[in-house]
Amino acid sequence: MSSNHDHAASSEVTKRHKVEGPQKHIVGFILSLALTIIAFAAVAAGEINATFTYIILVGMAVVQVFIQMAFWMHMKDRGHLFPIIGIISGAVVVFTMVIMALYWVWW
């Protein structure tokens, strides 16, 4: 009986306490560096069309945000539903405000 209880208690402890090594942080850091270098190279090249450069910069910025939220803010883990809902709600409000401001100014 004691060995069953000890085994159940140890498996419960390992389920609750998951150790995360630095590997994921290193991968996130390398991805962030790569995206920053790509964005810098697009601007520094000079021969690239300005519109295409803006598209590259905005695309890299969006990807960078998702990488930062996944690897550094741990939004990929369980228990982060309310912060994710808050971030999505804020993004919807900002997007709506920008669209309405553009509509108001241009028409």
Side-chain angles (χ1 to χ4, degrees):
M1 176 77 179
S2 175
S3 77
N4 283 342
H5 179 68
D6 291 338
H7 177 66
S10 68
S11 68
E12 182 180 323
V13 169
T14 55
K15 285 182 184 177
R16 283 191 297 169
H17 182 57
K18 182 180 175 186
V19 176
E20 182 178 312
Q23 294 88 3
K24 292 184 180 182
H25 292 284
I26 293 170
V27 168
F29 181 67
I30 290 172
L31 287 173
S32 296
L33 279 178
L35 291 172
T36 303
I37 291 170
I38 290 170
F40 180 77
V43 173
E47 296 94 26
I48 300 176
N49 186 2
T51 305
F52 186 67
T53 303
Y54 294 142
I55 291 170
I56 288 175
L57 289 178
V58 170
M60 295 296 114
V62 169
V63 172
Q64 184 97 346
V65 165
F66 285 115
I67 287 174
Q68 295 294 327
M69 287 194 313
F71 287 100
W72 298 106
M73 296 176 66
H74 301 284
M75 291 292 179
K76 66 186 179 312
D77 298 338
R78 289 182 151 196
H80 290 94
L81 182 62
F82 288 120
I84 290 172
I85 290 172
I87 290 170
I88 291 172
S89 300
V92 168
V93 168
V94 168
F95 181 74
T96 304
M97 291 175 70
V98 168
I99 295 299
M100 294 308 293
L102 290 174
Y103 182 75
W104 183 24
V105 169
W106 283 347
W107 284 279

